[in-house]
Structure formats: structure tokens, C-alpha cells
Amino acid sequence: MVSRALAEAGIEEVLIHTGQHYDVNMDRVFFEELGLPAPRVHLGVGSGTHAEQTGLMMIRLEAALRDMRPAPDWVLIYGDTNSTLAGALVAAKLQLPLAHVEAGLRSFNRAMPEEINRVVADHLSQLLFAPTPTAVENLRREGITQGVHLTGDVMEEAVRRYAEIARRRVPLASLTAHAPGTYYVATVHRAENTDDPVRLQGIFEGLGRLALPVILPLHPRTRARLDGGIRVPANIELREPVGYLAMLTLVQHARAVLTDSGGLQKEAVWLGVPCITLRDETEWVETLEGGWNQLVGADPDRIVAAVQRRPERPSAFCRDQFASQRIAELLQQVAG
């Protein structure tokens, strides 16, 4: 959405792909389905430890930015991945202006790699595009008030735009024989869950006690952990990772979503589907209002109880569809 808004505003974008996500269904399919321009630069980093991945990104990204002529007016980073951290550190070292989309999110859990990434990125950025008032307040409490702009959430724009497209292009019948409302969708990929066998088995036990089938597209990290003896209950349908449109279709027709993904929490709520978050905290606290999202950790009993509860009232979370346009306008103003 931001790429499209930048183009409409007459701002040239040089898209750099770090290669952090390299699986076809977690990488190339997004460019194809969303009509994104092909990356101008591909760093080809691949997998590794956090240090290996981030370090290699920094080496290759520094070279790419140094060779760029003319030098970029802004380095624009997104979210809270290792790519975000590498982009922030390299821009700061090269003294290039830095702008962060999804600034100000906090889980207040420093054991999460993503929390470290976004805190560092925010403190190095000159422009901070905050998706929610809570994010703005988080930044204020850390002493960051200059360059902060409440823009709304670019992910909501994407969900609104592509939900109907997903239903047409990837109908439910092409993905599963289950009827709408007769299955759950789950994802498990965060290190706090996948790297702890007790937590991972607790999640699978909870999913296994649900009365309906559970469609679980497997992140490569999670698939690797299943070889370590994790028992997979019979009602869990393991799948390869699916593309963005396919996931939108699955979520729209699911009875509920069970996930440790930050983005999927929001998408479920925006699509009117209850969400059960397999974590002990969330950076998207607004999704908890009205009971649309519930935090259950990895406890099987809490997972089962949460699925049986229904939301108490409609959600008013982040009803704003002009975030990307605001971001483009702000970048244009600063550049002008």
C-alpha cells in the first residue's frame, strides 16, 4: 500500500529485499499477489541465528546504500524484524535519514527479539509513523516526541482492499473441503513458542482438544521443531505456508484464529473473526477490547476456554484506510 502511495505522490522508491523470508510462499508470492514492484536490490541473506542474519544484512545493505547514486533522501523501514533492525543501524551509521512504519509498538517483553528490534529502530528514527494512539503514548513515555505522526495502520488498508479479491481469486473450496465456520486456523512461529518444547507441546495439546479441525500452515521453524518428538493430534491439518490471499480466505471463513503472529491478530479482528493469541502479551492491546482477542499463552486449558467464549461487543479497532497516503504526504513534505 505504501509503495502504491509513494508512486502516486511522485516519490521514487528503491525497494531492497534482504532475503530474510526466502520460502516461495512467504516471499515471492506476496509480490505477485499484491502487485508489488520487483525489488531493485536483493541481498539474499537467508536463514541463520539472529546475529548471523542481522550482521550479514548490515554488511550487504551498507554496500548497497553506499553505492546508490544519488544517495537516498530517506531509508524507510517497516515493522520489527531483523531486517528492520539492520536497516535502522546501517542508516544511522551512514547518517541517512530514517523513517519507521509501525513505530511505537511495545509488548514490554524484552525477551522477544522483535521488541529489541522495534525499540532500537524507534530511537534511531527521525520520522516515526505510529499506527495507534497507544503507540504514540508509548513513544512519549520513552522521551520520543519529535517526528512522531499518528498515521493509522497500513495493514488495515491491505486487508480492506484484498479481502474481497481473496474470496474471488482463492475461493475456500480450493483450499479445504471444510464449510465456512467449521474449522479453525492456527499459526505458530515465534521463537518463544517454537524453541520451548514444553510450550510447543502445550499449544498442540490445546489445539488437539478443540472440537473442530485446525488448519495449521507450518512456518519452516515450526516444521523443524516437530522432528523433535512433538505429538501432533489427529484434528490438526498441517499445511505448507500459504500466500497472503489464501490466508485471507481461510481467516474470513474460520470459526476463530489461534496464533502468535502480531499481524494475524489484527487481520482476524478487522475481518470480524475471534482471535486467540498464543502468547502472554500483545503489542496490539486495542485488539483485546470487546473480547475479540484473548491472551492464553501456551496453556491447553486456557486455549480451550478461550475458544468457547464469544466477543462481547463490536470492535472499533483502527478503522482508518488512509495510512499509506498520509505516510507518502509526510515524506513528500519533509523532502520538499
mmCIF file with all atom_site columns, all heavy atoms in Angstrom, residues 16-22 27 42-47 53 57 83:
data_model
loop_
_atom_site.group_PDB
_atom_site.id
_atom_site.type_symbol
_atom_site.label_atom_id
_atom_site.label_alt_id
_atom_site.label_comp_id
_atom_site.label_asym_id
_atom_site.label_entity_id
_atom_site.label_seq_id
_atom_site.pdbx_PDB_ins_code
_atom_site.Cartn_x
_atom_site.Cartn_y
_atom_site.Cartn_z
_atom_site.occupancy
_atom_site.B_iso_or_equiv
_atom_site.pdbx_formal_charge
_atom_site.auth_seq_id
_atom_site.auth_comp_id
_atom_site.auth_asym_id
_atom_site.auth_atom_id
_atom_site.pdbx_PDB_model_num
ATOM 1   N N   . ILE A 1 16 ? 14.497 -2.603  -1.475 1.00 0.00 ? 16 ILE A N   1
ATOM 2   C CA  . ILE A 1 16 ? 15.585 -3.521  -1.144 1.00 0.00 ? 16 ILE A CA  1
ATOM 3   C C   . ILE A 1 16 ? 15.009 -4.702  -0.371 1.00 0.00 ? 16 ILE A C   1
ATOM 4   O O   . ILE A 1 16 ? 14.360 -4.524  0.653  1.00 0.00 ? 16 ILE A O   1
ATOM 5   C CB  . ILE A 1 16 ? 16.664 -2.819  -0.299 1.00 0.00 ? 16 ILE A CB  1
ATOM 6   C CG1 . ILE A 1 16 ? 17.289 -1.668  -1.096 1.00 0.00 ? 16 ILE A CG1 1
ATOM 7   C CG2 . ILE A 1 16 ? 17.749 -3.809  0.129  1.00 0.00 ? 16 ILE A CG2 1
ATOM 8   C CD1 . ILE A 1 16 ? 18.329 -0.878  -0.318 1.00 0.00 ? 16 ILE A CD1 1
ATOM 9   N N   . HIS A 1 17 ? 15.250 -5.898  -0.864 1.00 0.00 ? 17 HIS A N   1
ATOM 10  C CA  . HIS A 1 17 ? 14.779 -7.136  -0.239 1.00 0.00 ? 17 HIS A CA  1
ATOM 11  C C   . HIS A 1 17 ? 15.975 -7.787  0.452  1.00 0.00 ? 17 HIS A C   1
ATOM 12  O O   . HIS A 1 17 ? 16.963 -8.121  -0.191 1.00 0.00 ? 17 HIS A O   1
ATOM 13  C CB  . HIS A 1 17 ? 14.222 -8.055  -1.320 1.00 0.00 ? 17 HIS A CB  1
ATOM 14  C CG  . HIS A 1 17 ? 13.482 -9.255  -0.807 1.00 0.00 ? 17 HIS A CG  1
ATOM 15  N ND1 . HIS A 1 17 ? 13.747 -9.854  0.409  1.00 0.00 ? 17 HIS A ND1 1
ATOM 16  C CD2 . HIS A 1 17 ? 12.483 -9.990  -1.360 1.00 0.00 ? 17 HIS A CD2 1
ATOM 17  C CE1 . HIS A 1 17 ? 12.951 -10.883 0.583  1.00 0.00 ? 17 HIS A CE1 1
ATOM 18  N NE2 . HIS A 1 17 ? 12.170 -10.986 -0.482 1.00 0.00 ? 17 HIS A NE2 1
ATOM 19  N N   . THR A 1 18 ? 15.882 -7.971  1.758  1.00 0.00 ? 18 THR A N   1
ATOM 20  C CA  . THR A 1 18 ? 17.012 -8.560  2.481  1.00 0.00 ? 18 THR A CA  1
ATOM 21  C C   . THR A 1 18 ? 17.145 -10.052 2.257  1.00 0.00 ? 18 THR A C   1
ATOM 22  O O   . THR A 1 18 ? 18.227 -10.616 2.380  1.00 0.00 ? 18 THR A O   1
ATOM 23  C CB  . THR A 1 18 ? 16.885 -8.326  3.994  1.00 0.00 ? 18 THR A CB  1
ATOM 24  O OG1 . THR A 1 18 ? 15.719 -8.997  4.475  1.00 0.00 ? 18 THR A OG1 1
ATOM 25  C CG2 . THR A 1 18 ? 16.823 -6.841  4.314  1.00 0.00 ? 18 THR A CG2 1
ATOM 26  N N   . GLY A 1 19 ? 16.022 -10.731 1.952  1.00 0.00 ? 19 GLY A N   1
ATOM 27  C CA  . GLY A 1 19 ? 16.052 -12.183 1.830  1.00 0.00 ? 19 GLY A CA  1
ATOM 28  C C   . GLY A 1 19 ? 15.814 -12.890 3.148  1.00 0.00 ? 19 GLY A C   1
ATOM 29  O O   . GLY A 1 19 ? 15.999 -14.109 3.239  1.00 0.00 ? 19 GLY A O   1
ATOM 30  N N   . GLN A 1 20 ? 15.382 -12.160 4.176  1.00 0.00 ? 20 GLN A N   1
ATOM 31  C CA  . GLN A 1 20 ? 15.095 -12.799 5.465  1.00 0.00 ? 20 GLN A CA  1
ATOM 32  C C   . GLN A 1 20 ? 14.026 -13.870 5.297  1.00 0.00 ? 20 GLN A C   1
ATOM 33  O O   . GLN A 1 20 ? 14.117 -14.944 5.874  1.00 0.00 ? 20 GLN A O   1
ATOM 34  C CB  . GLN A 1 20 ? 14.655 -11.756 6.492  1.00 0.00 ? 20 GLN A CB  1
ATOM 35  C CG  . GLN A 1 20 ? 14.273 -12.378 7.829  1.00 0.00 ? 20 GLN A CG  1
ATOM 36  C CD  . GLN A 1 20 ? 13.975 -11.342 8.902  1.00 0.00 ? 20 GLN A CD  1
ATOM 37  O OE1 . GLN A 1 20 ? 14.305 -10.172 8.772  1.00 0.00 ? 20 GLN A OE1 1
ATOM 38  N NE2 . GLN A 1 20 ? 13.345 -11.766 9.986  1.00 0.00 ? 20 GLN A NE2 1
ATOM 39  N N   . HIS A 1 21 ? 12.987 -13.565 4.505  1.00 0.00 ? 21 HIS A N   1
ATOM 40  C CA  . HIS A 1 21 ? 11.990 -14.571 4.154  1.00 0.00 ? 21 HIS A CA  1
ATOM 41  C C   . HIS A 1 21 ? 12.302 -15.043 2.751  1.00 0.00 ? 21 HIS A C   1
ATOM 42  O O   . HIS A 1 21 ? 12.281 -14.259 1.798  1.00 0.00 ? 21 HIS A O   1
ATOM 43  C CB  . HIS A 1 21 ? 10.578 -13.978 4.215  1.00 0.00 ? 21 HIS A CB  1
ATOM 44  C CG  . HIS A 1 21 ? 10.123 -13.725 5.612  1.00 0.00 ? 21 HIS A CG  1
ATOM 45  N ND1 . HIS A 1 21 ? 9.349  -12.643 5.961  1.00 0.00 ? 21 HIS A ND1 1
ATOM 46  C CD2 . HIS A 1 21 ? 10.349 -14.391 6.763  1.00 0.00 ? 21 HIS A CD2 1
ATOM 47  C CE1 . HIS A 1 21 ? 9.113  -12.668 7.260  1.00 0.00 ? 21 HIS A CE1 1
ATOM 48  N NE2 . HIS A 1 21 ? 9.703  -13.734 7.767  1.00 0.00 ? 21 HIS A NE2 1
ATOM 49  N N   . TYR A 1 22 ? 12.588 -16.327 2.598  1.00 0.00 ? 22 TYR A N   1
ATOM 50  C CA  . TYR A 1 22 ? 13.048 -16.847 1.319  1.00 0.00 ? 22 TYR A CA  1
ATOM 51  C C   . TYR A 1 22 ? 12.182 -17.991 0.801  1.00 0.00 ? 22 TYR A C   1
ATOM 52  O O   . TYR A 1 22 ? 12.319 -18.400 -0.339 1.00 0.00 ? 22 TYR A O   1
ATOM 53  C CB  . TYR A 1 22 ? 14.506 -17.326 1.432  1.00 0.00 ? 22 TYR A CB  1
ATOM 54  C CG  . TYR A 1 22 ? 14.742 -18.230 2.623  1.00 0.00 ? 22 TYR A CG  1
ATOM 55  C CD1 . TYR A 1 22 ? 14.566 -19.600 2.528  1.00 0.00 ? 22 TYR A CD1 1
ATOM 56  C CD2 . TYR A 1 22 ? 15.101 -17.689 3.856  1.00 0.00 ? 22 TYR A CD2 1
ATOM 57  C CE1 . TYR A 1 22 ? 14.753 -20.419 3.624  1.00 0.00 ? 22 TYR A CE1 1
ATOM 58  C CE2 . TYR A 1 22 ? 15.297 -18.507 4.953  1.00 0.00 ? 22 TYR A CE2 1
ATOM 59  C CZ  . TYR A 1 22 ? 15.118 -19.865 4.830  1.00 0.00 ? 22 TYR A CZ  1
ATOM 60  O OH  . TYR A 1 22 ? 15.301 -20.656 5.928  1.00 0.00 ? 22 TYR A OH  1
ATOM 61  N N   . ASP A 1 27 ? 7.417  -15.265 0.468  1.00 0.00 ? 27 ASP A N   1
ATOM 62  C CA  . ASP A 1 27 ? 8.244  -14.247 -0.160 1.00 0.00 ? 27 ASP A CA  1
ATOM 63  C C   . ASP A 1 27 ? 7.671  -13.847 -1.514 1.00 0.00 ? 27 ASP A C   1
ATOM 64  O O   . ASP A 1 27 ? 6.867  -12.926 -1.616 1.00 0.00 ? 27 ASP A O   1
ATOM 65  C CB  . ASP A 1 27 ? 9.676  -14.791 -0.282 1.00 0.00 ? 27 ASP A CB  1
ATOM 66  C CG  . ASP A 1 27 ? 10.616 -13.884 -1.042 1.00 0.00 ? 27 ASP A CG  1
ATOM 67  O OD1 . ASP A 1 27 ? 10.234 -12.728 -1.279 1.00 0.00 ? 27 ASP A OD1 1
ATOM 68  O OD2 . ASP A 1 27 ? 11.710 -14.314 -1.410 1.00 0.00 ? 27 ASP A OD2 1
ATOM 69  N N   . HIS A 1 42 ? 18.388 -7.233  -4.187 1.00 0.00 ? 42 HIS A N   1
ATOM 70  C CA  . HIS A 1 42 ? 18.103 -8.416  -3.360 1.00 0.00 ? 42 HIS A CA  1
ATOM 71  C C   . HIS A 1 42 ? 19.393 -8.830  -2.672 1.00 0.00 ? 42 HIS A C   1
ATOM 72  O O   . HIS A 1 42 ? 20.368 -9.181  -3.320 1.00 0.00 ? 42 HIS A O   1
ATOM 73  C CB  . HIS A 1 42 ? 17.568 -9.561  -4.220 1.00 0.00 ? 42 HIS A CB  1
ATOM 74  C CG  . HIS A 1 42 ? 16.829 -10.603 -3.438 1.00 0.00 ? 42 HIS A CG  1
ATOM 75  N ND1 . HIS A 1 42 ? 17.403 -11.286 -2.368 1.00 0.00 ? 42 HIS A ND1 1
ATOM 76  C CD2 . HIS A 1 42 ? 15.559 -11.076 -3.546 1.00 0.00 ? 42 HIS A CD2 1
ATOM 77  C CE1 . HIS A 1 42 ? 16.516 -12.133 -1.869 1.00 0.00 ? 42 HIS A CE1 1
ATOM 78  N NE2 . HIS A 1 42 ? 15.396 -12.030 -2.566 1.00 0.00 ? 42 HIS A NE2 1
ATOM 79  N N   . LEU A 1 43 ? 19.373 -8.788  -1.325 1.00 0.00 ? 43 LEU A N   1
ATOM 80  C CA  . LEU A 1 43 ? 20.579 -9.069  -0.558 1.00 0.00 ? 43 LEU A CA  1
ATOM 81  C C   . LEU A 1 43 ? 20.829 -10.564 -0.379 1.00 0.00 ? 43 LEU A C   1
ATOM 82  O O   . LEU A 1 43 ? 21.947 -10.972 -0.062 1.00 0.00 ? 43 LEU A O   1
ATOM 83  C CB  . LEU A 1 43 ? 20.509 -8.389  0.809  1.00 0.00 ? 43 LEU A CB  1
ATOM 84  C CG  . LEU A 1 43 ? 20.297 -6.869  0.791  1.00 0.00 ? 43 LEU A CG  1
ATOM 85  C CD1 . LEU A 1 43 ? 20.311 -6.318  2.206  1.00 0.00 ? 43 LEU A CD1 1
ATOM 86  C CD2 . LEU A 1 43 ? 21.347 -6.173  -0.060 1.00 0.00 ? 43 LEU A CD2 1
ATOM 87  N N   . GLY A 1 44 ? 19.796 -11.403 -0.534 1.00 0.00 ? 44 GLY A N   1
ATOM 88  C CA  . GLY A 1 44 ? 19.962 -12.856 -0.493 1.00 0.00 ? 44 GLY A CA  1
ATOM 89  C C   . GLY A 1 44 ? 20.531 -13.383 0.808  1.00 0.00 ? 44 GLY A C   1
ATOM 90  O O   . GLY A 1 44 ? 21.355 -14.298 0.808  1.00 0.00 ? 44 GLY A O   1
ATOM 91  N N   . VAL A 1 45 ? 20.057 -12.872 1.941  1.00 0.00 ? 45 VAL A N   1
ATOM 92  C CA  . VAL A 1 45 ? 20.659 -13.231 3.227  1.00 0.00 ? 45 VAL A CA  1
ATOM 93  C C   . VAL A 1 45 ? 20.278 -14.635 3.676  1.00 0.00 ? 45 VAL A C   1
ATOM 94  O O   . VAL A 1 45 ? 21.125 -15.421 4.099  1.00 0.00 ? 45 VAL A O   1
ATOM 95  C CB  . VAL A 1 45 ? 20.279 -12.185 4.301  1.00 0.00 ? 45 VAL A CB  1
ATOM 96  C CG1 . VAL A 1 45 ? 20.682 -12.672 5.682  1.00 0.00 ? 45 VAL A CG1 1
ATOM 97  C CG2 . VAL A 1 45 ? 20.943 -10.861 3.987  1.00 0.00 ? 45 VAL A CG2 1
ATOM 98  N N   . GLY A 1 46 ? 19.001 -15.002 3.630  1.00 0.00 ? 46 GLY A N   1
ATOM 99  C CA  . GLY A 1 46 ? 18.590 -16.341 4.054  1.00 0.00 ? 46 GLY A CA  1
ATOM 100 C C   . GLY A 1 46 ? 18.524 -16.480 5.561  1.00 0.00 ? 46 GLY A C   1
ATOM 101 O O   . GLY A 1 46 ? 18.405 -15.504 6.296  1.00 0.00 ? 46 GLY A O   1
ATOM 102 N N   . SER A 1 47 ? 18.626 -17.722 6.039  1.00 0.00 ? 47 SER A N   1
ATOM 103 C CA  . SER A 1 47 ? 18.431 -18.002 7.459  1.00 0.00 ? 47 SER A CA  1
ATOM 104 C C   . SER A 1 47 ? 19.736 -17.942 8.221  1.00 0.00 ? 47 SER A C   1
ATOM 105 O O   . SER A 1 47 ? 20.813 -17.753 7.654  1.00 0.00 ? 47 SER A O   1
ATOM 106 C CB  . SER A 1 47 ? 17.779 -19.375 7.644  1.00 0.00 ? 47 SER A CB  1
ATOM 107 O OG  . SER A 1 47 ? 18.646 -20.384 7.158  1.00 0.00 ? 47 SER A OG  1
ATOM 108 N N   . GLN A 1 53 ? 22.229 -13.443 10.838 1.00 0.00 ? 53 GLN A N   1
ATOM 109 C CA  . GLN A 1 53 ? 21.316 -12.872 9.863  1.00 0.00 ? 53 GLN A CA  1
ATOM 110 C C   . GLN A 1 53 ? 21.432 -11.346 9.835  1.00 0.00 ? 53 GLN A C   1
ATOM 111 O O   . GLN A 1 53 ? 21.582 -10.728 8.776  1.00 0.00 ? 53 GLN A O   1
ATOM 112 C CB  . GLN A 1 53 ? 19.881 -13.302 10.198 1.00 0.00 ? 53 GLN A CB  1
ATOM 113 C CG  . GLN A 1 53 ? 18.885 -13.091 9.090  1.00 0.00 ? 53 GLN A CG  1
ATOM 114 C CD  . GLN A 1 53 ? 17.517 -13.624 9.476  1.00 0.00 ? 53 GLN A CD  1
ATOM 115 O OE1 . GLN A 1 53 ? 16.906 -13.148 10.424 1.00 0.00 ? 53 GLN A OE1 1
ATOM 116 N NE2 . GLN A 1 53 ? 17.036 -14.608 8.732  1.00 0.00 ? 53 GLN A NE2 1
ATOM 117 N N   . MET A 1 57 ? 23.029 -8.975  6.847  1.00 0.00 ? 57 MET A N   1
ATOM 118 C CA  . MET A 1 57 ? 22.180 -7.929  6.277  1.00 0.00 ? 57 MET A CA  1
ATOM 119 C C   . MET A 1 57 ? 22.882 -6.578  6.318  1.00 0.00 ? 57 MET A C   1
ATOM 120 O O   . MET A 1 57 ? 22.879 -5.822  5.338  1.00 0.00 ? 57 MET A O   1
ATOM 121 C CB  . MET A 1 57 ? 20.865 -7.827  7.057  1.00 0.00 ? 57 MET A CB  1
ATOM 122 C CG  . MET A 1 57 ? 19.848 -8.890  6.796  1.00 0.00 ? 57 MET A CG  1
ATOM 123 S SD  . MET A 1 57 ? 18.425 -8.569  7.858  1.00 0.00 ? 57 MET A SD  1
ATOM 124 C CE  . MET A 1 57 ? 17.565 -10.118 7.719  1.00 0.00 ? 57 MET A CE  1
ATOM 125 N N   . SER A 1 83 ? 15.356 -7.518  9.638  1.00 0.00 ? 83 SER A N   1
ATOM 126 C CA  . SER A 1 83 ? 15.565 -6.583  8.533  1.00 0.00 ? 83 SER A CA  1
ATOM 127 C C   . SER A 1 83 ? 15.366 -5.148  9.002  1.00 0.00 ? 83 SER A C   1
ATOM 128 O O   . SER A 1 83 ? 16.090 -4.236  8.587  1.00 0.00 ? 83 SER A O   1
ATOM 129 C CB  . SER A 1 83 ? 14.599 -6.897  7.389  1.00 0.00 ? 83 SER A CB  1
ATOM 130 O OG  . SER A 1 83 ? 14.811 -8.189  6.870  1.00 0.00 ? 83 SER A OG  1
#
